[in-house]
Amino acid sequence: MSQLKVLTLNCWGVPAPVACQLRMERMTAIGDRLKRGDYDVVILQEVWDKGDFKILLDRVSAVFVYNHYFYSGAIGSGVCVFSKFPIQETFYYRFSLNGYAHKVFHGDWFGGKGVGMCVLQFGDFKLGLFCTHLHAEYNGVDDEYLAHRVSQAFEMSQLIKLTATKHLCDLVITAGDFNLQPTDLGYKLLRENAQLRDAWLELNDETESGKTCDIPSNYFTTKSQLQICPQGKRLDYILFRNNEGTSVEVVNCQVTMGKIPGHPYNYSDHEGVGATLAISKSNNAPYYDRDPSRLNPLLLDAKSLVEKGIKKVSSNSQFYTILAVMSVCLLYMVSSVDIPPWLGLIRGMLLVALTLLFGFCIWNKAILSRIESHGLMATQLDLSNLLTSEKS
């Protein structure tokens, strides 16, 4: 029997001083903590800046000989892996839906979020590792990204189910910041469809413990966040599955990487999750069977949610059409009216602004809305096909 120690942590590495506090100090502290070698495999999220990745790499390379950064989008996925064991193969799957390009301050679109896949050689076992950071929730009351996040969770579940077979690996680990709580549809769909077990729930019940984000003891948690969710949220996970011929049991699972020793602040605005897994060869290992009676209602709920998302895209597209027509009319009016010479500069600036607005509307209607619509339609068809196969 072999033991594998895994850690996942959202490092909160947004390269913007106002939006992210004490980034350099925290990255240095994270690297110093990891180089102790307490874990065999470390999955990090929100390492957006390549300089931060170098800080970590310089500190941990003597312990973690193997590493991989998943490049994607304009700023990188922010997801990276450090391993004591050989990383044999890697691949990055980018989600079909990733938020909105014009939501610059949200930034998820620019990161090109998806799933990073690695095949690791762990002794006599092959480990299929899936690392991710799903789209963030910016408004819990009116979540405009809900359909996107559920679509991402479903895509990931299909990817794991269809690729991580016994021919590829002996066991599967999926880890990262899912931006999903255990009661959310996306979490349930991911676990049920990909037949994954939650390392935390193997040893703990779903109580007030296990929270990893916006918790009261975290230095960076604001009063407004505590008002919304006083006990915090469980958003970070280590999920796993054994394939045929392999047994996997959870020895230990805990929330970790809290306060930095000697400092009042934490390593991140998230806590980390660490788990120790006992792995052995076994032909009689328990297996998590997918049950249609549990899966089908989730698929129906996801399909309904995606259909609402498609209607929303259509409504947004109509809005951009109306706005484009209005901007053209205003362009004609402003350019045609006679004005005193001293107002020429103001009119020029107004014409530029209206032209940019027209271009923005056309770009959203003709390009971005179609991309979003096609992504949701693809998920809708995939859900329908899976529902049909489960019923047959």
Side-chain angles (χ1 to χ4, degrees):
M1 179 180 292
S2 303
Q3 286 196 347
L4 179 69
K5 296 182 179 181
V6 183
L7 171 74
T8 179
L9 174 69
N10 180 324
C11 296
W12 193 33
V14 181
V18 177
C20 185
Q21 304 172 43
L22 302 168
R23 191 181 101 245
M24 299 300 292
E25 294 88 343
R26 293 187 295 100
M27 285 293 174
T28 302
I30 290 171
D32 290 339
R33 172 66 185 274
L34 295 182
K35 73 180 182 182
R36 287 164 41 179
D38 296 335
Y39 299 95
D40 302 310
V41 178
V42 175
I43 302 101
L44 302 179
Q45 306 89 51
E46 288 204 22
V47 185
W48 303 112
D49 192 286
K50 307 309 177 292
D52 291 346
F53 180 68
K54 188 177 185 304
I55 288 173
L56 294 169
L57 191 59
D58 288 344
R59 280 164 170 73
V60 307
S61 57
V63 176
F64 296 98
V65 182
Y66 307 95
N67 65 84
H68 188 80
Y69 186 93
F70 294 99
Y71 289 93
S72 180
I75 60 175
S77 69
V79 177
C80 57
V81 175
F82 296 99
S83 172
K84 293 180 180 179
F85 307 107
I87 299 176
Q88 296 183 329
E89 297 183 67
T90 56
F91 180 72
Y92 190 79
Y93 174 84
R94 188 168 173 173
F95 292 131
S96 301
L97 297 165
N98 260 311
Y100 305 115
H102 63 279
K103 300 279 186 176
V104 178
F105 294 105
H106 290 176
D108 296 71
W109 187 87
F110 296 93
K113 289 190 171 181
V115 185
M117 298 179 283
C118 300
V119 177
L120 278 65
Q121 186 65 51
F122 169 58
D124 296 330
F125 301 95
K126 279 192 179 296
L127 165 63
L129 183 64
F130 294 79
C131 320
T132 195
H133 184 196
L134 301 189
H135 201 294
E137 176 188 275
Y138 293 95
N139 188 334
V141 178
D142 182 20
D143 186 2
E144 61 183 318
Y145 300 112
L146 181 57
H148 286 216
R149 197 160 48 255
V150 169
S151 175
Q152 289 177 347
F154 176 69
E155 279 188 315
M156 184 163 64
S157 73
Q158 286 288 87
L159 186 68
I160 295 169
K161 183 177 69 174
L162 296 175
T163 62
T165 65
K166 64 179 181 181
H167 304 292
L168 175 74
C169 57
D170 298 300
L171 68 148
V172 180
I173 292 178
T174 305
D177 175 5
F178 294 176
N179 277 309
L180 295 167
Q181 298 192 66
T183 54
D184 290 342
L185 172 61
Y187 168 86
K188 296 176 182 177
L189 186 59
L190 171 62
R191 282 197 59 193
E192 196 62 44
N193 191 40
Q195 300 170 273
L196 297 168
R197 295 155 63 187
D198 189 327
W200 177 262
L201 294 182
E202 292 290 302
L203 300 178
N204 305 274
D205 58 358
E206 193 62 77
T207 61
E208 298 301 329
S209 59
K211 304 296 190 292
T212 59
C213 183
D214 297 343
I215 63 174
S217 61
N218 192 294
Y219 177 86
F220 301 108
T221 300
T222 64
K223 291 181 179 179
S224 60
Q225 290 168 333
L226 289 176
Q227 289 176 350
I228 296 171
C229 193
Q231 298 300 324
K233 305 172 184 176
R234 189 159 82 97
L235 302 180
D236 304 82
Y237 301 89
I238 296 175
L239 309 182
F240 68 97
R241 187 188 76 207
N242 60 292
N243 282 337
E244 185 179 346
T246 304
S247 173
V248 181
E249 297 297 332
V250 180
V251 176
N252 176 271
C253 187
Q254 60 183 350
V255 175
T256 184
M257 299 291 287
K259 287 279 192 301
I260 300 174
H263 297 277
Y265 53 88
N266 293 55
Y267 288 100
S268 173
D269 62 343
H270 282 240
E271 310 288 297
V273 179
T276 302
L277 307 178
I279 306 164
S280 60
K281 296 289 185 181
S282 174
N283 293 323
N284 300 312
Y287 196 75
Y288 184 82
D289 291 321
R290 190 169 63 253
D291 185 349
S293 67
R294 296 195 304 260
L295 179 60
N296 287 358
L298 299 176
L299 296 174
L300 288 170
D301 288 345
K303 186 179 177 184
S304 175
L305 182 64
V306 168
E307 288 170 351
K308 291 179 182 178
I310 293 173
K311 292 179 181 178
K312 180 185 175 185
V313 175
S314 177
S315 175
N316 289 342
S317 181
Q318 292 176 8
F319 169 76
Y320 287 122
T321 300
I322 295 171
L323 196 57
V325 172
M326 291 176 60
S327 62
V328 168
C329 293
L330 286 171
L331 270 169
Y332 175 76
M333 293 170 59
V334 172
S335 60
S336 301
V337 67
D338 291 329
I339 61 170
W342 60 274
L343 286 177
L345 179 61
I346 295 176
R347 178 165 73 175
M349 294 173 62
L350 186 57
L351 289 173
V352 170
L354 289 170
T355 302
L356 291 174
L357 176 61
F358 175 75
F360 171 78
C361 293
I362 295 300
W363 179 51
N364 269 279
K365 177 176 174 57
I367 306 297
L368 297 185
S369 290
R370 290 177 65 85
I371 291 174
E372 183 181 10
S373 179
H374 288 166
L376 289 169
M377 289 169 64
T379 301
Q380 181 189 38
L381 288 173
D382 291 339
L383 287 165
S384 297
N385 289 334
L386 184 54
L387 268 167
T388 301
S389 68
E390 291 293 330
K391 291 177 180 178
S392 62

